[in-house]
Amino acid sequence: MTSGPGQFDGRVALVTGASGGIGGALCRRLAAAGASVAVHYRSSAESAERLVEEIRAEGGRGATFEAELGQADRAEALITEVEERLGPIDLLVANAGLSRPGPLEEVDADTFDQALAVNLRAPFLQSRRVIPHMREQGWGRILFTSSVAAFTGGLVGPHYAASKAGLHGLLHFLAARVAGEGVTVNAIAPALIEDTTMLPGDPGDLASRIPVGRLGKPDEVADLAMAILRNGYMTSQVVEIDGGMYPR
């Protein structure tokens, strides 16, 4: 399932963590659907610039933005910078994630706090900033990238699992308060997607554990994300995409 051309004409979309596989795939889809796309990165400037060049070559609109989302002031300043260059944000995709692996014994207070700052606090601060505009115009979309680790504990570490589980509580709180004003808040929860930095082990070994027999593709995650962003009746939901590993 793909998005139709012009579906998001006149809309501004911010995708954080856009230089990675999932973020990049979603930026391409949003641009193809007519949105002006703010491509956020932390350190991969070259990848972000290539993505914007690709978007523009296809007739789309995009611009790069750098921010260290672990710093609260930078997470909020990113919203201001996008608004000044592209306009008020209509679609927020909080996709950036910190996933440094760490067994229980090696996850200290700083490591735990850093994961929560990027994976949970930044989406909260940014959602709080964009919701007033969405409410005012009677339309908006917020989508968090979570993980199946939020349900299972995962393999990365307690800091990562806790931060992603926190996103679920945040989205349920927000969704209930803006649902009647045309604003939806949802999350996707991928697992074992290729071309990302989120693979905790050998890809071949991991693929053998997945019922569909392979790793997921960033474009498949983007397909699901676009379906959610298009849908004005779906809100306060977390949707897994994991190749059948964790049926519910």
Side-chain angles (χ1 to χ4, degrees):
M1 185 180 297
T2 57
S3 58
Q7 196 154 36
F8 293 138
D9 275 351
R11 303 293 189 188
V12 174
L14 167 60
V15 181
T16 65
S19 60
I22 293 173
L26 187 49
C27 285
R28 294 182 187 95
R29 300 295 181 88
L30 286 164
S36 297
V37 183
V39 176
H40 161 261
Y41 69 94
R42 181 181 65 86
S43 58
S44 302
E46 187 175 340
S47 295
E49 291 292 350
R50 281 200 306 267
L51 176 58
V52 168
E53 289 174 6
E54 180 182 336
I55 287 171
R56 291 174 177 169
E58 294 294 325
R61 296 180 297 277
T64 60
F65 296 82
E66 180 277 331
E68 169 52 77
L69 300 185
Q71 300 173 10
D73 59 341
R74 287 298 298 135
E76 294 202 69
L78 175 61
I79 303 299
T80 301
E81 292 164 12
V82 173
E83 291 173 341
E84 290 175 348
R85 289 178 61 184
L86 300 180
I89 295 166
D90 306 296
L91 302 103
L92 170 64
V93 181
N95 175 71
L98 188 64
S99 62
R100 298 190 187 111
L104 178 62
E105 296 78 14
E106 296 178 12
V107 177
D108 57 17
D110 286 343
T111 302
F112 194 91
D113 288 348
Q114 288 170 7
L116 263 67
V118 175
N119 298 352
L120 181 57
R121 185 179 68 190
F124 162 67
L125 293 173
Q126 294 175 336
S127 296
R128 188 178 64 173
R129 283 289 307 276
V130 302
I131 280 176
H133 162 68
M134 294 178 179
R135 278 177 150 166
E136 182 179 355
Q137 70 176 359
W139 194 96
R141 300 287 185 266
I142 296 174
L143 182 66
F144 300 147
T145 300
S146 180
S147 167
V148 296
F151 298 107
T152 68
L155 301 173
V156 175
H159 52 319
Y160 183 73
S163 65
K164 294 300 187 179
L167 279 176
H168 300 181
L170 175 60
L171 80 86
H172 295 315
F173 179 91
L174 295 176
R177 286 156 179 80
V178 297
E181 298 169 270
V183 182
T184 68
V185 188
N186 294 289
I188 52 174
L192 303 181
I193 308 300
E194 65 185 18
D195 296 329
T196 71
T197 60
M198 304 290 184
L199 293 177
D202 178 77
D205 292 340
L206 294 170
S208 67
R209 300 166 49 189
I210 305 172
V212 300
R214 63 173 176 82
L215 299 176
K217 301 178 185 300
D219 274 338
E220 292 172 320
V221 180
D223 277 341
L224 175 61
M226 290 299 292
I228 294 171
L229 292 171
R230 290 197 306 269
N231 196 313
Y233 193 60
M234 180 178 183
T235 195
S236 200
Q237 302 298 316
V238 180
V239 185
E240 294 173 70
I241 177 167
D242 59 13
M245 290 188 70
Y246 304 106
R248 297 184 190 281

